[in-house]
Amino acid sequence: MDWRDHMAREVRGEVQRDVPLAPRISVRVGGSAILFIRPVGIEDLITALRIAKESGQPIWVLGGGANTVVGDGGIPGVTLKLPAWPTLEKVIDLGDRVRAELPAGAPSARLVQLAREFGLLGVEWAAGIPGTIGGLTAMNAGTRSGEMKDNVTEILLCDGTGAEWCPASEVQFRYRHADLKSKVVAAVRCELRKGDPAQVEKSVSAMETDRAYRRKSQPLQLPNSGSVFRNPPGDHAGRLIEAAGLKGLVEGGAQISEQHANFIVNRGGATARDVVTLMAKAQHAVQERFAIPLALEVRTVGVFVPSTDILGLKV
Ligand code: EPU
């Protein structure tokens, strides 16, 4: 039996062939998923992972699509989209703190909502960061004021054999990266500290300030994929790309934002090729001009035509 028919028969949930992904990723470019799966529960996720492994098919977990560029040739194998399974959400008030278990598919804004509801501190950084809880964890998302690893205590990791809670201390987190050993995040547990009213007010106002700063400094009104490059030690990718003279550069329907040079925006009709070409040009120019290698923060997924190699992008 074709592996896709096998999936459709065994996995409960949405199992669909040839699903266009551009509408599901924030920069709105790229081709289709060969097979797109939204499993109804964790057992179905495990089954999908098992069948994919047995059939030699790669797996890609699409989070909120906020930090991803899908190639114009689409994504082979399985593209997973995890719903915000309500059975995996538990919030326990422990007096001075709150233990929150959140499904990977929940929007990252859920953390900020909890902070507001219970007067919690330490998640100010998450205000206005798009995406899902699973995505925040898998890439250890964050800003100058904090990152996901500071909040997570345990991660429910899945593969084709089952699911297991893993202490966050056993996961290697780095700047915008978590080493999950090819497993899929199904849920996370966070311990969040309550503050006194003055601290909470300060924290809420820090969140608002951060949001306002981003609205002012980033081109959030156009489709984009967030910060394209990681900041190199002691500097900022946006500053370097601007200093290399590339701010505003256009390729097809894409542009290096005039507002923030570490953002690439889709001005309408951009292809993944346009976006990746601009990334390659920025990387190349900063290397030539300042001898600084810029590493991608955005994830490139699927088949690029021509390949990212040929387009000159180091991924
Ligand atoms: N800058 C320029 N030219 C530009 C853009 C920025 O000179 O075109 C300069 C700014 O003037 C500033 C410095 O570069 O002095 C840093 O810029 P900014 O404050 O915008 O911060 P960033 O380092 O570019 C980081 C995160 C963002 C987060 C902001 C605000 C990374 C790679 N990016 O950006 O995160 O929103 O701080 O907290 O860490 C994301 O990760 O997707 C993201 C948007």
Side-chain angles (χ1 to χ4, degrees):
M1 194 195 306
D2 180 271
W3 66 274
R4 290 180 290 183
D5 292 330
H6 192 188
M7 284 284 191
R9 183 179 290 192
E10 300 283 329
V11 178
R12 290 170 311 154
E14 188 185 335
V15 181
Q16 260 187 291
R17 294 180 181 218
D18 304 319
V19 173
L21 292 173
R24 295 176 179 271
I25 69 160
S26 60
V27 68
R28 305 269 186 270
V29 296
S32 297
I34 296 280
L35 193 69
F36 181 84
I37 302 183
R38 264 172 66 92
V40 293
I42 194 162
E43 304 75 22
D44 300 281
L45 167 62
I46 294 165
T47 306
L49 294 173
R50 177 176 54 77
I51 297 174
K53 181 145 198 231
E54 288 166 359
S55 352
Q57 297 298 328
I59 288 280
W60 170 256
V61 188
L62 178 69
N67 227 262
T68 308
V69 179
V70 171
D72 295 318
I75 302 189
V78 177
T79 302
L80 280 168
K81 176 75 188 156
L82 305 184
W85 295 314
T87 48
L88 285 187
E89 172 154 341
K90 291 188 193 93
V91 179
I92 306 169
D93 191 338
L94 296 170
D96 61 340
R97 67 211 143 89
V98 162
R99 181 171 302 147
E101 191 172 307
L102 299 171
S108 37
R110 187 74 189 103
L111 263 184
V112 180
Q113 271 173 10
L114 286 175
R116 285 180 187 269
E117 194 179 327
F118 291 93
L120 306 171
L121 304 176
V123 288
E124 296 77 10
W125 62 270
I129 293 202
T132 59
I133 295 291
L136 292 188
T137 309
M139 64 169 301
N140 186 26
T143 67
R144 271 166 295 181
S145 57
E147 49 191 359
M148 191 60 175
K149 76 169 175 49
D150 306 332
N151 301 110
V152 173
T153 54
E154 281 171 281
I155 306 176
L156 184 60
L157 289 176
C158 282
D159 63 13
T161 63
E164 201 177 2
W165 283 103
C166 174
S169 56
E170 286 177 17
V171 172
Q172 277 191 10
F173 286 103
R174 284 184 276 123
Y175 173 67
R176 305 294 166 265
H177 180 82
D179 186 3
L180 301 173
K181 311 239 183 292
S182 305
K183 295 191 177 182
V184 172
V185 178
V188 300
R189 282 192 186 130
C190 300
E191 292 262 339
L192 303 162
R193 203 163 44 84
K194 287 189 189 172
D196 62 41
Q199 285 173 308
V200 172
E201 201 187 307
K202 219 170 121 194
S203 148
V204 168
S205 96
M207 285 196 235
E208 270 149 22
T209 310
D210 216 45
R211 265 209 166 123
Y213 174 71
R214 269 180 249 175
R215 267 198 295 266
K216 187 168 62 77
S217 60
Q218 301 176 357
L220 305 179
Q221 67 294 349
L222 285 174
N224 69 79
S225 53
S227 294
V228 171
F229 296 102
R230 301 170 192 196
N231 283 330
D235 211 333
H236 293 272
R239 191 198 72 75
L240 290 162
I241 298 167
E242 176 171 357
L246 265 59
K247 211 168 184 174
L249 185 68
V250 170
E251 178 78 31
Q255 182 179 34
I256 295 185
S257 166
E258 284 172 335
Q259 201 174 346
H260 194 302
N262 198 22
F263 279 68
I264 292 176
V265 293
N266 181 349
R267 302 202 301 173
T271 59
R273 181 191 175 142
D274 297 337
V275 170
V276 165
T277 301
L278 288 176
M279 290 176 178
K281 285 185 176 171
Q283 210 176 38
H284 185 74
V286 170
Q287 179 68 45
E288 285 284 291
R289 184 89 190 267
F290 306 108
I292 295 178
L294 287 181
L296 273 188
E297 173 166 321
V298 157
R299 291 195 277 191
T300 51
V301 196
V303 179
F304 285 79
V305 204
S307 70
T308 44
D309 244 17
I310 289 174
L311 291 166
L313 183 72
K314 292 191 187 65
V315 293

